[in-house]
Amino acid sequence: MKHARKISALLLALPPVLFLTGCSHAPTFNILGSFFPSWLLCLIVGICLAALVNWLLTRYKLEKLIAWPVLIYPCLAAFFSFLLWLIFFS
């Protein structure tokens, strides 16, 4: 009976330990003495790239082809952010 309790306690304690293993290294870097999370930099650059795509589509008069710009441009910003994260920090 005691052996079954130890095994069940071990099985209950194991999942939280597995989830905590990803917290060993914080993805930060030093910019002028202040540490910034790398996801924030990727998000800012992703938003700038989405704005660049908007400018290019407007310049070549292709913006009218986008049916839902409220949905498309945030998705483009997220795409560029995730892509930059995978390229530089993965």
Side-chain angles (χ1 to χ4, degrees), residues 22-44:
C23 300
S24 62
H25 174 65
T28 59
F29 50 92
N30 190 359
I31 297 178
L32 299 174
S34 180
F35 287 99
F36 286 95
S38 53
W39 62 265
L40 188 62
L41 179 68
C42 290
L43 182 66
I44 291 169

Side-chain angles (χ1 to χ4, degrees), residues 3-62:
H3 186 64
R5 283 187 197 173
K6 287 182 181 179
I7 290 176
S8 63
L10 179 65
L11 289 176
L12 287 174
L14 188 60
V17 172
L18 292 175
F19 288 120
L20 291 175
T21 58
C23 300
S24 62
H25 174 65
T28 59
F29 50 92
N30 190 359
I31 297 178
L32 299 174
S34 180
F35 287 99
F36 286 95
S38 53
W39 62 265
L40 188 62
L41 179 68
C42 290
L43 182 66
I44 291 169
V45 174
I47 290 171
C48 291
L49 287 173
L52 178 70
V53 168
N54 180 21
W55 179 76
L56 287 172
L57 290 175
T58 304
R59 179 181 168 109
Y60 293 111
K61 305 209 183 336
L62 297 173

